[in-house]
Amino acid sequence: MGLLNYSNKICLAPMVRIGELPTRLLALRYGANLVWGPEIVDKALVGGSLVQRIVNDRVNCIDFVKPPTNKVLFRVHPLEANRLVFQLGSASPDLAVQAAKLVADDVAGIDLNCGCPKHFSVHAGMGAGLLKEPDRLISILQALVKEVGIPHNVSISCKIRLLETKEKTLALIERLCSTGIRAITIHCRTTPMRNTEPAHREYLQDIVDLCKKYNVAVLANGDVSGYEEGKKLIEKYGLDGVLIARAAEKNVSCFRAEGPLSNRDLALDYLKMALEVENNFGNTKYCLTQIMQGAFRKDVRQAAQCAKSYDDLKNAFAMDQKHSDASGVIYAPKREKSIMFAFGSSSKLLKALSNEATLKQLAAFSFTKVFVYKPEGEKSEDFTDCSEKFKSHGVNLASVSSDDLALKIDQADLIICSKEEQSISFEASSSHKQILYFTSSELASLYNEREELNKAGNYLGSQTESFYDILFNKIKGTNTKKEVTI
Ligand SMILES: Cc1cc2nc3c(=O)[nH]c(=O)nc-3n(C[C@H](O)[C@H](O)[C@H](O)COP(=O)(O)O)c2cc1C
């Protein structure tokens, strides 16, 4: 999988129950860079009958199931695998290594929970209990680095809380940095502090400076409200990243650079995602009811709380829709639109589209499906390489061949093509759809050939515009108005 790059990352924090697959995939779709799974205790994986790794073709996932009931303990989707950190609860180097080895090849990182203050954890010497026994904590991390991290090429990290004093905290962090781990998350509260008390960042800068000396990435956690604040904190303290827990529990679209979705839109996205990955019904209901708090009528929330099946949940949403229609409240689920690019080389076009700013802007315009025309003989691998990046912004990418060009033009809401490609422009113009034409000089800007054109005296444009500017200036001229600042 390759070692993780923790730099400049806004991440979903580990959360038991909340951090299951639908939340993680949505977090990534909305813009989270890395996602932590919920803590799973070593004995759940290796105690009694060993957990089994099953390829689940139905939902295209890897399931870790526990015999004899075959309950799914953990489900990994290929879309998240290279950005997923598995969090382990352990009090023993041997058990930690045995458990971590079972999942190491399906995730990008393994994180040791050294901060859980709950009785069951601390009592068993796990979580925040490890902060009281630093020698044991160090030996677990050393074992994980040596026996799992290095041979499996997976990043080992830990998540701690602050100790009672700055000196004690820095002394512990210095020892942690010497174990070979690649990253530390600091939950900026001490063990006795509740989440309702404000996070302490008074000496976060000292922690960052110390970790930098050892080349260990440092991520901060505690009271981060979303994308905007995350970026500010990274900048202010020189952090590698931040982890967001409760803000994401309430509304996982807090990772969106454009600002969060309404809880109503989010609840629908969540239900769709949960159905798609066949999430455990009880877990879906739990997460949905968290999202629905305060955002739906009481009777709708009650119907969701009493749901016994996915059909009941869908009925609760249908009920909400009916109320909204009847009361005249405008409740328009986000309209999903498709855009088609049909000109020239698909690999160059994909290169121009595959950047954060362009994908964010497409998503902001609600273009959740992008069709790209692939001329005969061009590689399909480019599409495979790019589709994950598109997907992480909630945009689906599909290639279109000459055979299905007419059909896809018919399905697209907006078509972008070149007048020069006559067969395509003919097909598009006879489709009665909205069409935007790119001229040959605009295409040259896409292909970065403007300089060559200038040299040859062919290009007379006076301003240097990027492909991004040209594309979105054209789209803005249509009836689609939304824009994000980048
Ligand atoms: C519902 C919930 C479940 C949590 N589960 C875990 C967990 O499994 N592992 C862990 O290290 N921390 C867990 N935490 C703690 C969070 O990761 C985080 O450290 C804490 O909530 C502070 O971050 P916040 O202020 O952004 O909420 C959990 C927190 C919540 C609210």
Side-chain angles (χ1 to χ4, degrees):
M1 196 97 46
L3 290 177
L4 266 178
N5 172 1
Y6 295 92
S7 173
N8 201 17
K9 300 290 191 282
I10 311 249
C11 317
L12 177 71
M15 279 184 282
V16 165
R17 294 191 84 180
I18 298 294
E20 297 294 347
L21 184 56
T23 307
R24 300 198 303 268
L25 288 179
L26 282 181
L28 290 170
R29 174 190 289 180
Y30 295 137
N33 304 114
L34 301 175
V35 288
W36 262 243
E39 178 197 50
I40 297 185
V41 169
D42 53 12
K43 287 189 183 139
L45 293 162
V46 298
S49 44
L50 214 61
V51 84
Q52 304 280 304
R53 180 187 185 276
I54 310 270
V55 178
N56 182 338
D57 288 326
R58 224 181 37 244
V59 286
N60 187 27
C61 287
I62 304 295
D63 285 350
F64 291 92
V65 304
K66 188 81 175 169
T69 56
N70 286 347
K71 180 179 174 218
V72 179
L73 277 189
F74 194 56
R75 176 167 284 171
V76 180
H77 194 283
L79 268 180
E80 62 170 346
N82 62 356
R83 292 170 287 174
L84 172 62
V85 178
F86 179 91
Q87 199 192 48
L88 192 61
S90 184
S92 139
D94 283 352
L95 289 179
V97 166
Q98 280 179 48
K101 277 184 177 168
L102 294 171
V103 296
D105 295 329
D106 292 295
V107 298
I110 292 175
D111 185 67
L112 181 68
N113 182 348
C114 319
C116 180
K118 299 245 164 73
H119 178 74
F120 79 87
S121 241
V122 178
H123 185 67
M126 299 186 292
L130 288 170
L131 300 176
K132 291 203 177 110
E133 291 192 61
D135 290 344
R136 187 134 54 87
L137 163 53
I138 298 293
S139 66
I140 298 174
L141 290 176
Q142 283 171 335
L144 283 172
V145 168
K146 183 165 162 234
E147 295 179 50
V148 187
I150 296 169
H152 291 264
N153 204 27
V154 67
S155 301
I156 306 293
S157 61
C158 66
K159 175 167 176 273
I160 65 166
R161 285 176 173 251
L162 301 175
L163 300 184
E164 309 88 82
T165 64
K166 171 178 161 182
E167 290 66 32
K168 283 186 180 170
T169 307
L170 292 176
L172 176 67
I173 291 176
E174 188 143 29
R175 288 190 71 189
L176 295 174
C177 285
S178 313
T179 59
I181 57 171
R182 299 202 58 246
I184 302 181
T185 300
I186 316 289
H187 176 185
C188 298
R189 294 186 175 92
T190 59
T191 305
M193 282 172 77
R194 302 297 94 203
N195 278 346
T196 42
E197 296 174 66
H200 286 188
R201 301 193 186 116
E202 290 81 1
Y203 58 92
L204 188 52
Q205 191 63 63
D206 301 278
I207 296 176
V208 171
D209 295 343
L210 178 60
C211 291
K212 290 243 153 95
K213 274 209 274 182
Y214 288 88
N215 214 9
V216 171
V218 53
L219 303 106
N221 165 239
D223 284 348
V224 186
S225 58
Y227 175 87
E228 203 60 48
E229 197 185 2
K231 285 280 176 204
K232 280 191 192 141
L233 288 170
I234 290 176
E235 170 96 35
K236 178 168 177 193
Y237 294 100
L239 289 158
D240 285 281
V242 294
L243 267 63
I244 305 181
R246 285 164 305 148
E249 175 186 27
K250 284 204 194 77
N251 188 330
V252 68
S253 68
C254 66
F255 291 102
R256 279 163 47 105
E258 314 85 300
L261 297 173
S262 73
N263 283 50
R264 298 172 81 109
D265 280 345
L266 172 64
L268 286 175
D269 276 3
Y270 183 88
L271 181 59
K272 251 164 75 180
M273 181 63 88
L275 282 161
E276 222 167 275
V277 299
E278 297 187 3
N279 192 46
N280 169 284
F281 169 72
N283 181 259
T284 297
K285 187 169 110 169
Y286 174 77
C287 294
L288 257 185
T289 45
Q290 304 295 108
I291 297 169
M292 288 172 82
Q293 273 174 32
F296 285 79
R297 289 168 58 112
K298 200 167 161 210
D299 54 345
V300 176
R301 274 188 282 126
Q302 272 168 353
Q305 265 154 15
C306 298
K308 294 203 163 30
S309 66
Y310 271 106
D311 279 342
D312 291 346
L313 283 177
K314 286 191 227 164
N315 288 339
F317 281 104
M319 189 170 135
D320 177 62
Q321 179 82 65
K322 219 158 74 194
H323 281 311
S324 309
D325 293 347
S327 63
V329 176
I330 298 165
Y331 173 40
K334 205 172 52 191
R335 166 139 158 64
E336 312 219 316
K337 294 186 294 184
S338 49
I339 185 167
M340 169 154 202
F341 294 88
F343 50 74
S345 147
S346 61
S347 62
K348 286 179 179 175
L349 181 53
L350 285 175
K351 207 166 138 212
L353 291 170
S354 295
N355 62 72
E356 293 259 308
T358 308
L359 291 174
K360 272 185 185 151
Q361 191 65 271
L362 282 172
F365 280 115
S366 303
F367 287 117
T368 50
K369 184 129 209 162
V370 171
F371 298 126
V372 173
Y373 173 59
K374 182 173 87 61
E376 298 280 297
E378 286 204 10
K379 294 184 294 176
S380 302
E381 294 92 282
D382 290 335
F383 284 85
T384 323
D385 293 348
C386 291
S387 68
E388 193 174 313
K389 180 139 204 208
F390 276 59
K391 195 102 194 201
S392 69
H393 290 270
V395 180
N396 289 303
L397 171 69
S399 75
V400 178
S401 68
S402 310
D403 292 340
D404 56 2
L405 187 64
L407 178 74
K408 290 293 190 285
I409 283 180
D410 192 49
Q411 288 175 2
D413 294 285
L414 178 62
I415 298 149
I416 312 237
C417 66
S418 141
K419 262 203 173 126
E420 278 84 354
E421 299 223 21
Q422 285 176 0
S423 61
I424 295 178
S425 70
F426 173 78
E427 196 73 58
S429 59
S430 50
S431 71
H432 307 294
K433 291 289 170 68
Q434 205 159 24
I435 311 166
L436 297 174
Y437 290 108
F438 261 58
T439 64
S440 48
S441 60
E442 287 165 343
L443 281 176
S445 113
L446 157 66
Y447 297 161
N448 276 336
E449 285 163 0
R450 181 159 299 200
E451 268 182 30
E452 262 80 295
L453 280 173
N454 270 332
K455 268 188 240 151
N458 290 335
Y459 175 60
L460 301 173
S462 54
Q463 251 181 306
T464 311
E465 269 189 302
S466 69
F467 170 65
Y468 177 96
D469 295 328
I470 298 166
L471 176 63
F472 291 109
N473 281 336
K474 278 182 194 287
I475 295 180
K476 260 191 282 173
T478 69
N479 58 5
T480 315
K481 287 278 179 260
K482 204 161 172 200
E483 194 180 357
V484 291
T485 357
I486 46 161

